[in-house]
Amino acid sequence: MAPVYAPAPVIPVRAQGSRVWDEEGRDYVDLTSGIAVCALGHAHPALVETLSRQAEQLWHVSNVFTNIPALKLALRLTEATFAENAFFANSGAEANEAALKLARRVAIDRFGTEARKTRIISFEQSFHGRTLFTVSVGGQQKYSDGFGPLPGDISHIRFNDIDAALAAIDDRTCAVIVEPVQGEGGVIPATADFLRCLRDACTRHNALLIFDEVQTGIGRTGSLFAYMDAGVTPDILTAAKALGNGFPIGAVLTTAEIGKHFSVGTHGSTYGGNPLATAVADRVVELINTPHVLDGVRERSAHIFASLRSINSRTGVFRELRGAGLLIGAELSDAYHGRSKDIMTAALEHGVMILNAGPNVLRFAPALNIPYECLDEGLARLERAIDSFRSD
Ligand SMILES: *Cc1c(COP(=O)(O)O)cnc(C)c1O
C-alpha cells in the first residue's frame, strides 16, 4: 500500500455499537466513530438490514438512469433542510469539489467572465479534502505543498476574524467556504457573530456562502446540521462522513435557483447516488433526525465535558475544552504541547480509541448513540492512559 498513512499497530477486525475488537480479541471503546463517520455505531442492525436488502435488489445502474433510493434520499434531505436540490458524490472532498465548481459556474453564468468574479475565500487551518482544488482552498499549506501549480484566485484569511472577513469579501468574491466548527484544524467553533457577518457580506456582494458540514453534519452537533443552531443559512451545504455511517457517500445541498446552474453535462460522477450508498444514507438520516437521538447528543456532550473537566482538575493536562455536541476538542496544556499523538497511542494501549486534531488537541467524536456505560468505560480507560502517560 502507498505509504501515505502511518496506521496504528493494532488491526481492528470486528465491531459492534461502540466496541471494536482486534485480531487478538482485545476490545476497544471507540470514541472516534471512524473520524465522525459511524454516527450510529458499528453494524447498526437497521443499517445492516437496509444494506442487505438493497444488495439483493440493485447495486448500481449509473447516472444514465435514476434510482429510487437516490430520489428518496434527495427528498428526505431537501425536506429536512433549506435546500431544494441535491447532488450526490462519494466523499467529502468530492462534495466540496462540486460545491466550489458550482460556485464558480454560478458567478460566470450570472455576471460573465469579464466581471472576474472568481475569488474563493476560505480560512486558515480549514480542511476541505484532498483533491487538488480542495487542498488549495483548505487553509493548511502542508496538504498543498509540492503539488503546484495550484488552482488560483483563492484567499485564506483568519478564522473568526470579522474585520479580516469584511475586508476580504468584495464584488469579485464568488464564494466563501467555512466549517461551522473547524474539525481537522483543532476543533474550533465559529462564533455566531462571525457566521452572521459572513452571511451578510456574501449577500451584499452576491457571493455564495458554502458551509462545509462534512464533519459537523448529520446530528454531530446536536442538530441535523450545525447551520440550524447558528441561525445562519448557507447557499450551499456539503455533507459526507456520517451520511453513510461508513458507506462512502457525499452530498451537495443547495437551492433550486443555484442548483439549476449544474445543467445537464456540467458535472457528474459514475458512482455518485449509487443505490447502495443512498439506501443506507436515507436510513441513517431517518434514524438520526429524531428528537430522541439529537437530544441524546446534547446530553452525552454535557456528560463528556463534565468527565474531562474532572480529569483535568486532577491532572491539569488540558488548557481548554471546546466543541459542539459530540465533536469535542481538548487542547493540551503547555507542558504537553505537541504530544497529542503520544496520548492517542497511550489511549489505544489502555483500550480506548481517540483522535487528535493537530499536535496539541485531542479530539473525541463518539457515536451519537454510544451507551453511557460504554462511554464511562472509555473515559475511565482514557484517564488511566493519561495517568500512565504523565508518569512516563
Ligand atoms: C473529512 C473532511 C473532508 C474530506 O472528506 P473525505 O470524505 O475524506 O474526502 C472535508 N471537509 C471536512 C470539514 C472534513 O472533516
Side-chain angles (χ1 to χ4, degrees), residues 20 73 85 106 134 141 168 170 204 210 220 240 261 270 275 284 295 303 309 318 323 338-339 352 372 375 377:
V20 176
L73 177 62
N85 177 300
V106 168
T134 55
Q141 236 191 321
D170 63 16
R204 252 193 330 274
I210 305 171
R220 175 80 23 211
H261 291 264
T270 296
V284 167
D295 290 346
H303 186 79
R309 271 196 298 272
F318 306 132
R339 305 294 303 278
V352 57
Y372 278 94
L375 183 54
E377 175 67 32

Side-chain angles (χ1 to χ4, degrees), residues 304-325:
I304 296 177
F305 272 105
S307 299
L308 292 176
R309 271 196 298 272
S310 134
I311 292 175
N312 200 36
S313 64
R314 196 172 59 72
T315 63
V317 284
F318 306 132
R319 165 198 279 184
E320 188 185 33
L321 301 172
R322 59 188 181 233

Side-chain angles (χ1 to χ4, degrees), residues 63 66-76 86 88 272-275 278-279:
N63 289 302
T66 189
N67 69 77
I68 303 292
L71 292 166
K72 278 190 174 160
L73 177 62
L75 192 62
R76 188 181 296 284
F88 296 120
N274 167 296
T278 49

